[in-house]
Amino acid sequence: MKNIGFLFDLDGVIVDTAKYHFLAWKKTANKLNINFTQEHNELLKGVSRVASLEILLGIDNVKISEEEKQQILVDKNEDYLEYIGKMTAKEILPGVIMILDFLEKNNIKYALGSASKNAPFILKKVGLYERFSAIVDGNDVSKAKPDPEVFFIGAKKINVKPEKCVVFEDAIAGIDAANAAKMISIGVGDKATLNKADYVFGSLSEISESFMEKLVEETLKK
Ligand code: B16
Ligand code: MG
């Protein structure tokens, strides 16, 4: 095994679960008479479940009790589980398999670093669970991205120094977390939005094997 590691965010990098979060939060918003749009949904990407609810309530400055909040979080997750329970390998985003195959072929360890408490379930549904050496999810972290905790734990779990890791992320907070951990950050999404990343690609399918080789060389030299 090489002494470098790759860390992957889940939603927006491996699969697109944002659309299912949207449907489940939309149902919650309707019950609360909040006008929740796709634009608002962008604000929830990479954010924890609890923080997402606060953002949702903030749209129309809705005040509810702590007890109601807890119930909403349970209900929202039940709805979300119904959607993700139907996921299959077809929902793995383009480019992912090539990258994982490349890493395995080159004896490079990789782990998941996600804010989602449902991350292991989702990986199982799409058939990728067994391939990851380690999984860090929303149950393991006490500080949300942009805090680098999630990626520090990921690096530790695969026994690689943080500065010898590469992170794939679709959220600004995730890129900030990777940069704070002194890891090489690869943004997946809009170039202007993710301009703090070391490299940005519209989709992982734009990444070539020769770029991966270059990335490995760069990480080994750090
Ligand atoms: P859950 P990531 C994040 O996943 C999602 O982007 C974010 O929208 C969601 O609120 C968060 O997981 C928590 O998800 O409700 O399943 O615990 O991008 O960090 O992989
Ligand atoms: Mg994400």
Side-chain angles (χ1 to χ4, degrees):
M1 279 289 167
K2 293 195 175 66
N3 66 341
I4 60 171
F6 279 56
L7 304 173
F8 294 85
D9 175 52
L10 179 64
D11 176 24
V13 174
I14 304 284
V15 287
D16 174 22
T17 40
K19 56 183 184 236
Y20 302 131
H21 281 296
F22 175 74
L23 293 171
W25 282 125
K26 183 75 187 160
K27 194 171 164 190
T28 309
N30 288 347
K31 280 191 230 159
L32 293 164
N33 267 322
I34 295 171
N35 183 25
F36 180 63
T37 65
Q38 291 278 8
E39 285 69 45
H40 292 130
N41 198 51
E42 288 300 308
L43 306 172
L44 310 186
K45 288 190 176 172
V47 172
S48 73
R49 198 181 307 165
V50 174
S52 297
L53 176 58
E54 293 303 331
I55 293 172
L56 183 86
L57 295 173
I59 296 170
D60 281 331
N61 208 14
V62 172
K63 303 264 182 262
I64 54 171
S65 70
E66 200 44 49
E67 213 183 328
E68 280 175 286
K69 283 183 191 174
Q70 289 311 317
Q71 191 55 51
I72 285 173
L73 290 170
V74 170
D75 294 346
K76 184 269 167 180
N77 199 51
E78 274 176 15
D79 290 333
Y80 180 62
L81 282 170
E82 275 204 32
Y83 293 114
I84 59 176
K86 294 184 193 119
M87 288 179 84
T88 67
K90 284 187 189 146
E91 296 201 42
I92 298 170
L93 289 172
V96 171
I97 298 297
M98 184 285 274
I99 292 175
L100 301 189
D101 287 348
F102 174 91
L103 295 175
E104 285 166 26
K105 204 171 68 195
N106 288 280
N107 289 321
I108 297 166
K109 282 179 278 188
Y110 56 88
L112 193 87
S114 165
S116 173
K117 293 185 174 176
N118 296 302
F121 179 67
I122 295 167
L123 286 182
K124 280 178 194 157
K125 293 305 298 181
V126 301
L128 289 178
Y129 182 80
E130 304 294 338
R131 293 186 71 168
F132 280 81
S133 309
I135 293 170
V136 187
D137 64 29
N139 300 296
D140 300 312
V141 291
S142 54
K143 288 172 246 154
K145 300 167 192 173
D147 191 283
E149 186 188 24
V150 60
F151 296 134
F152 280 143
I153 299 175
K156 202 169 176 195
K157 281 198 180 188
I158 55 172
N159 209 13
V160 173
K161 286 186 190 148
E163 63 272 23
K164 292 281 189 186
C165 287
V166 176
V167 171
F168 289 83
E169 253 293 347
D170 71 314
I172 299 171
I175 295 296
D176 288 341
N179 292 343
K182 305 223 170 342
M183 298 175 174
I184 295 178
S185 53
I186 315 285
V188 186
D190 180 57
K191 276 205 164 59
T193 312
L194 302 172
N195 61 6
K196 282 188 269 170
D198 294 314
Y199 302 93
V200 186
F201 294 91
S203 147
L204 288 188
S205 61
E206 290 169 19
I207 294 182
S208 61
E209 278 218 20
S210 62
F211 176 78
M212 288 299 291
E213 281 158 11
K214 186 184 128 188
L215 201 55
V216 168
E217 284 311 308
E218 188 183 332
T219 317
L220 282 167
K221 275 193 216 130
K222 268 183 86 191

